[in-house]
Amino acid sequence: MAEGFMARLGTWCFRRRWWVVGVWLVVVAGGVLAAGPLLNAISEDSSVRKKVESIEAYDLISTAEDSSGQVVGLVDGVDPAAADVRGAVEAVMARVRGVEHVRQVEATAVSTDGRALLVVATLEKVDKPTRNAAVDAVEAELDRLGGELPAGAAVRVGGSATISRDAGRTLDADRTQAELLSLPLTLIVLVVVFGGLVAAGVPVLAAVVSIATVFPVLYVFTTFTDVDSNALTVASLLGLGLSVDYGLLLVARYREELAAGFSPEVAIGRAWATAGRTILFSALTVAAALAGLLAFSVRQLTALGAAGVSIALVAMLVSLTFTAALIGLARRRLKPSRRPAGDEAGRGLFAALAAFVQRRAALVAVLTAAVLLAAGLPLLSATVKLPGLEGTPRSIASVRVADELKTRFGRSFAPSVRIIARTGAADLDAYAARWAADPAVGKVQPAKPAGSGLATVELNLRGGAQDDAAQDLVHRIRADRPAGVQSWVTGDAAVLVDLVDLILDDLPLALGITLTAMLVLLFAMTGSVIVPVKAILANVVSLGATLGVMVAVFEHGWLAGVLGTLTVGGLDPFVVVILFAFAFALSMDYEVFLLGRIKEYADAGDDTDTAVRRGLQHTGRVITSAALLMVIVFGCFAAAKMGSIEQIGLGLTTAVLVDATVVRCLLVPATMTLLGRWNWWAPAPLRRLHARIGLREVTLPPPAPAPAEPAMSGVRGATTP
């Protein structure tokens, strides 16, 4: 019988399975109830990070405009001057004015081809659910207009409020579709891995519980900080992926112990003493990697870090308690593993792969590192960019209307830098005139009052809204502001400048927290200072390759047609930070899976090379299966329509593929072979510290030998040597 806290926890949950399942069902019910309020509380504007200058300026403009946006009806295929058209349009305008929370309605423009006109409804400043209800009501009236116009006419609905509603609904649909698609596929793969439906169902049910737990956790964070759609996406991904991985590892180890001849109750204790402890370290390592996000002064990153840490710990708790209870419920139908992992000398497919690598360790290490570095080369020319509408699919009708407003109505919304100042419009005009000759400025628009003693002026750009010239212009204007008055500079380039500055300012502390936590935890697990440093370096190279692939796909459009991805011309800095944190966390997750088993054999007396072969043989199939399941989950998210979910899904898919194949199966065995006994080196004071804190691997007692046959001497029919 295994000893220790983890063994006792698994055994306790195994014995009290009905109580444990009942508690988690209550948690799931709470998660279902929290889903609606959470979706309504999600922040839509992912560019709103913190009260920096560019965001303060947008807030001032929003306050002055006092609106939740506009709903635009594009009435197409008509003669705008015809009496029947004018009558129908005036009638719909009257009906729209009667919609609650509509402040103003007007017919504003005729298209350049003279065959279309616009009906624009401006909404009052209201919360998101109320705004969406108003958009629905206005859209219904505009759709009704289509049936009152001459044959061949059509009405399409767009506008900022409509795009926000449609984008939010598309995000929700993407997440729901990904979750509903990934769970059945995950179950199918697990059935193949385990050779049975019952064993496969345990990790899937644990994943469902973890996903439900995501909602109340995130809802708590919305009460005191901004949480945007990226947080919900990544939290769902993390909860689903980790729970499946942890359930797979636990069930596989439990069946391995059954195959060794132990009873179910003894097997659960032995599995939790080893695999359960590995999961404990894995979850703490993932949480530590995400804790670095807490150092950012960007509100959404802080909320995402807190949510990620919480969900990693919840996934661990679900796996260590709920999984044990499910195994207890299904104990008669969970059979021992029928696929031996190789004998105790470390023979088998993955052991053979490790032996092959060990014979050519230096060559494999150099070639693997070279391939990863080459994959990361596109990162050297990466462009950082806020995607805007470029990250929204044209399958959304309101986005197509926005394109038509540009091509047919001259509403091109030229890229600009906007200046707001506490002064009059005439004074701001006089100041802005000096920028007319600037090489980055195409045209200076007349200044306009912005309410409350404010005025605003736009400087239309010659180039892109966020290119280097636009960012340099922002810096020059901020160095030469209107004299004697308070002013703000905003626009896409200014928001990008402020966001990147915030991230760079906070990055050293964030990296320091993450890397220190990694080193401490891996040292506590292995007693080595070499293994943690090597693991971090390998993961950095792996992440560089992942980001290089992201640049190639989303900035340069490589394989965009095959993958069905949007080409946005750059990477969102917010997504880059998310990917770095979460991909690093998942990479360390697999590192812990492998190191836990290698250390178990090393502590039992094996030399390093043998421990590596046996460790890879016993975990290789689990890690490969876990990676395949992660790829399925993340790949379903990568197939989304919205650009932000595409980037996160494809980025994490690439990270897992690279880490579970190239790094774990090639780079780790090669480097550990080259280091030999130095893998486990630590200064004498740290070795004594590790011995005292007692976080070493559990060495389980072997199965008891079968009783010997009784002596046959003196019995009829017996023979003697």
Side-chain angles (χ1 to χ4, degrees):
M1 194 77 175
E3 298 181 352
F5 171 76
M6 296 306 299
R8 290 194 298 271
L9 175 64
T11 304
W12 189 91
C13 294
F14 181 88
R15 292 171 176 170
R16 294 162 178 81
R17 43 196 169 270
W18 288 111
W19 283 102
V20 174
V21 169
V23 169
W24 281 112
L25 288 178
V26 172
V27 173
V28 169
V32 172
L33 294 176
L38 170 64
L39 294 176
N40 288 332
I42 289 293
S43 173
E44 290 182 326
D45 189 354
S46 61
S47 68
V48 178
R49 317 295 182 179
K50 183 193 173 190
K51 294 301 182 182
V52 292
E53 178 178 342
S54 57
I55 302 305
E56 288 179 358
Y58 273 128
D59 288 345
L60 288 170
I61 295 170
S62 177
T63 301
E65 293 176 348
D66 194 30
S67 171
S68 295
Q70 295 180 328
V71 181
V72 177
L74 194 163
V75 184
D76 198 7
V78 297
D79 177 4
D84 55 347
V85 172
R86 290 200 308 270
V89 168
E90 289 172 0
V92 78
M93 289 172 63
R95 295 196 300 267
V96 170
R97 288 190 186 99
V99 173
E100 190 176 8
H101 304 300
V102 172
R103 190 177 67 195
Q104 178 182 349
V105 184
E106 56 184 338
T108 61
V110 175
S111 63
T112 54
D113 59 10
R115 298 295 299 165
L117 60 88
L118 300 179
V119 176
V120 180
T122 303
L123 305 181
E124 298 172 352
K125 189 75 171 179
V126 292
D127 60 27
K128 185 170 71 173
T130 305
R131 181 211 63 194
N132 287 346
V135 172
D136 291 341
V138 173
E139 185 175 35
E141 293 295 346
L142 291 171
D143 289 341
R144 178 181 167 189
L145 170 64
E148 300 169 352
L149 293 170
V155 178
R156 294 184 291 279
V157 182
S160 58
T162 312
I163 291 174
S164 295
R165 181 205 63 180
D166 293 346
R169 289 176 177 175
T170 303
L171 282 167
D172 295 341
D174 280 345
R175 281 190 294 266
T176 301
Q177 176 181 295
E179 291 168 358
L180 293 178
L181 182 61
S182 62
L183 284 173
L185 292 176
T186 297
L187 180 60
I188 292 171
V189 172
L190 284 170
V191 169
V192 174
V193 170
F194 286 128
L197 184 60
V198 175
V202 172
V204 172
L205 289 175
V208 171
V209 172
S210 293
I211 292 172
T213 309
V214 166
F215 295 113
V217 170
L218 284 180
Y219 183 69
V220 170
F221 292 116
T222 64
T223 61
F224 57 85
T225 188
D226 292 333
V227 176
D228 69 4
S229 58
N230 286 330
L232 185 54
T233 298
V234 177
S236 299
L237 279 167
L238 187 67
L240 182 60
L242 288 180
S243 294
V244 170
D245 272 9
Y246 292 165
L248 173 65
L249 182 63
L250 288 169
V251 173
R253 187 61 185 256
Y254 170 75
R255 295 177 75 216
E256 186 179 323
E257 297 297 336
L258 288 179
F262 294 102
S263 68
E265 189 165 320
V266 174
I268 200 82
R270 291 174 64 90
W272 259 241
T274 51
R277 182 182 179 278
T278 297
I279 285 171
L280 174 64
F281 270 108
S282 172
L284 292 177
T285 305
V286 171
L290 299 178
L293 293 174
L294 300 174
F296 287 99
S297 52
V298 178
R299 290 198 307 268
Q300 279 89 340
L301 288 178
T302 303
L304 185 59
V309 170
S310 302
I311 290 160
L313 298 179
V314 166
M316 173 194 71
L317 187 60
V318 170
S319 299
L320 294 179
T321 58
F322 186 68
T323 301
L326 288 180
I327 290 175
L329 292 176
R331 64 191 185 282
R332 289 187 175 87
R333 304 187 65 184
L334 274 175
K335 304 302 181 183
S337 175
R338 291 177 296 176
R339 299 179 180 177
D343 67 14
E344 289 305 307
R347 287 194 290 268
L349 175 62
F350 287 97
L353 175 61
F356 173 84
V357 170
Q358 287 174 334
R359 289 193 296 271
R360 303 162 180 82
L363 178 62
V364 171
V366 170
L367 289 178
T368 302
V371 169
L372 293 176
L373 291 172
L377 286 178
L379 189 59
L380 299 177
S381 60
T383 300
V384 178
K385 182 179 182 181
L386 300 172
L389 278 182
E390 293 172 330
T392 309
R394 266 49 196 171
S395 58
I396 298 177
S398 55
V399 177
R400 296 197 301 273
V401 170
D403 294 337
E404 288 197 68
L405 293 180
K406 177 179 178 180
T407 58
R408 299 181 64 192
F409 290 85
R411 295 192 172 195
S412 60
F413 303 107
S416 64
V417 171
R418 195 167 184 178
I419 305 168
I420 302 172
R422 293 197 182 279
T423 186
D427 291 337
L428 191 57
D429 267 332
Y431 162 79
R434 74 178 66 177
W435 298 102
D438 190 280
V441 177
K443 182 180 180 181
V444 178
Q445 299 288 349
K448 299 177 182 179
S452 304
L454 296 171
T456 179
V457 65
E458 289 191 37
L459 310 182
N460 294 149
L461 303 173
R462 294 183 183 276
Q466 301 177 52
D467 61 17
D468 291 341
Q471 295 180 52
D472 290 341
L473 178 62
V474 169
H475 290 300
R476 291 198 299 275
I477 294 174
R478 287 177 172 176
D480 184 13
R481 297 177 182 272
V485 297
Q486 188 177 15
S487 64
W488 299 262
V489 180
T490 190
D492 289 349
V495 172
L496 181 61
V497 166
D498 289 342
L499 174 59
V500 171
D501 285 347
L502 275 177
I503 290 175
L504 292 178
D505 287 345
D506 298 331
L507 190 59
L509 178 59
L511 288 176
I513 292 173
T514 296
L515 296 182
T516 300
M518 295 286 95
L519 291 171
V520 170
L521 282 170
L522 289 179
F523 168 76
M525 180 181 181
T526 64
S528 165
V529 296
I530 301 298
V531 168
V533 172
K534 177 189 65 64
I536 289 173
L537 291 176
N539 287 339
V540 168
V541 176
S542 174
L543 285 172
T546 298
L547 292 175
V549 171
M550 294 285 290
V551 172
V553 173
F554 292 103
E555 181 174 344
H556 302 301
W558 295 5
L559 298 178
V562 175
L563 298 173
T565 55
L566 298 172
T567 302
V568 297
L571 296 184
D572 185 340
F574 192 52
V575 171
V576 171
V577 174
I578 292 173
L579 280 177
F580 186 89
F582 281 83
F584 195 90
L586 293 173
S587 297
M588 297 306 294
D589 183 41
Y590 291 130
E591 183 80 18
V592 169
F593 279 19
L594 179 56
L595 283 177
R597 203 61 183 263
I598 291 175
K599 192 66 168 61
E600 184 179 340
Y601 289 122
D603 287 347
D606 285 344
D607 62 86
T608 299
D609 285 358
T610 302
V612 168
R613 289 194 298 274
R614 295 180 67 186
L616 187 60
Q617 176 60 33
H618 281 272
T619 61
R621 184 165 172 265
V622 172
I623 291 177
T624 302
S625 301
L628 176 59
L629 295 171
M630 283 276 197
V631 167
I632 289 173
V633 172
F634 297 158
C636 290
F637 280 82
K641 296 178 181 178
M642 295 296 292
S644 59
I645 299 185
E646 280 184 350
Q647 291 192 24
I648 294 171
L650 182 61
L652 292 178
T653 299
T654 305
V656 169
L657 277 174
V658 171
D659 191 77
T661 55
V662 178
V663 175
R664 296 303 143 226
C665 293
L666 299 176
L667 190 58
V668 168
T671 53
M672 293 193 78
T673 299
L674 292 174
L675 290 170
R677 61 186 180 86
W678 290 100
N679 282 290
W680 316 114
W681 180 85
L686 290 181
R687 288 200 302 272
R688 290 192 293 270
L689 175 63
H690 185 263
R692 283 199 301 270
I693 60 178
L695 295 179
R696 291 162 294 182
E697 282 291 343
V698 175
T699 302
L700 294 176
E709 292 292 331
M712 303 295 289
S713 176
V715 179
R716 183 177 296 180
T719 59
T720 57

